[in-house]
Amino acid sequence: AQSVTQLDSHVSVSEGTPVLLRCNYSSSYSPSLFWYVQHPNKGLQLLLKYTSAATLVKGINGFEAEFKKSETSFHLTKPSAHMSDAAEYFCVVIPAGAGAQKLVFGQGTRLTINP
Amino acid sequence: EAGVAQSPRYKIIEKRQSVAFWCNPISGHATLYWYQQILGQGPKLLIQFQNNGVVDDSQLPKDRFSAERLKGVDSTLKIQPAKLEDSAVYLCASSLAGGRAETQYFGPGTRLLVL
């Protein structure tokens, strides 16, 4: 079954420093990949998505992710962390060939921002 | 534009009791999803509706869980009887037409605790 693996369950950075959240996927084909963010007591929000167009995808709030087929990775980055970025981040895949729009979520990475 | 609405926000029940959750998707969205998010994990799709028809319910524990979307708008998810392992956040999401990689919009969720 196609899936995603988030390599860190918790990442802690200082405000103003770069953010890197790592995600690897397993797929025989070019999948559709997403990053979602979940703030406490709020619904999941789409940050960005890759659908086989440009490999560098820009999202909301200054986040971007690069699809690297050779490394089967889709890491999320941001040049400068802000306190409001503290949240849970999920890497998500739609398996190729899935008839339904079935999102398969990773385990999540909790991002903590230190002042 | 109003988002996805869910109620109740919190529910505490004892095992073997029944419980129901309600979801009102974004107006005009044909596709509705129910996800289960257990603490420390990513959400898992339980069931997907396209209008009032079921597209995917392969991960719905049908011996105790049921869901309906009779008029193709609101939906209800029911658990009867509840088990301790059903303690989780139940998320409802909707999308415009259910197309591949289409953005899903999530509600705030219902947090269920089974004692």
Side-chain angles (χ1 to χ4, degrees), chain A residues 10 14 24 28 30 35 43 51 61 64 66 70 72 78 81-83 85-86 90 95 97-98 106-107 109:
Chain A
H10 186 206
S14 297
N24 285 353
S28 301
S30 218
W35 277 97
T51 56
N61 300 335
E64 62 182 36
E66 186 172 7
S70 60
T72 61
K78 182 173 181 177
H82 191 272
M83 294 299 292
D85 295 328
F90 292 96
Q107 293 287 84
T109 298

Side-chain angles (χ1 to χ4, degrees), chain A residues 38 49 94-95 100-101 105, chain B residues 33 37 48 100-102 104:
Chain A
Q38 188 173 38
K49 63 181 174 181
I94 292 180
Q101 193 197 5
F105 284 76
Chain B
Y33 315 79
Q37 185 177 17
Q48 176 185 346
R100 184 175 179 82
E102 193 175 74
Q104 293 185 24

Side-chain angles (χ1 to χ4, degrees), chain B residues 33-79:
Chain B
Y33 315 79
W34 283 102
Y35 290 84
Q36 180 192 57
Q37 185 177 17
I38 293 173
L39 187 64
Q41 299 181 16
K44 180 185 77 173
L45 179 69
L46 292 176
I47 189 168
Q48 176 185 346
F49 290 96
Q50 184 73 17
N51 296 308
N52 60 352
V54 176
V55 175
D56 183 353
D57 63 355
S58 57
Q59 298 190 100
L60 186 73
K62 298 180 186 65
D63 57 334
R64 297 183 301 106
F65 286 65
S66 64
E68 59 184 16
R69 193 185 184 201
L70 293 176
K71 296 183 179 180
V73 181
D74 294 5
S75 177
T76 302
L77 176 69
K78 296 180 182 178
I79 308 175

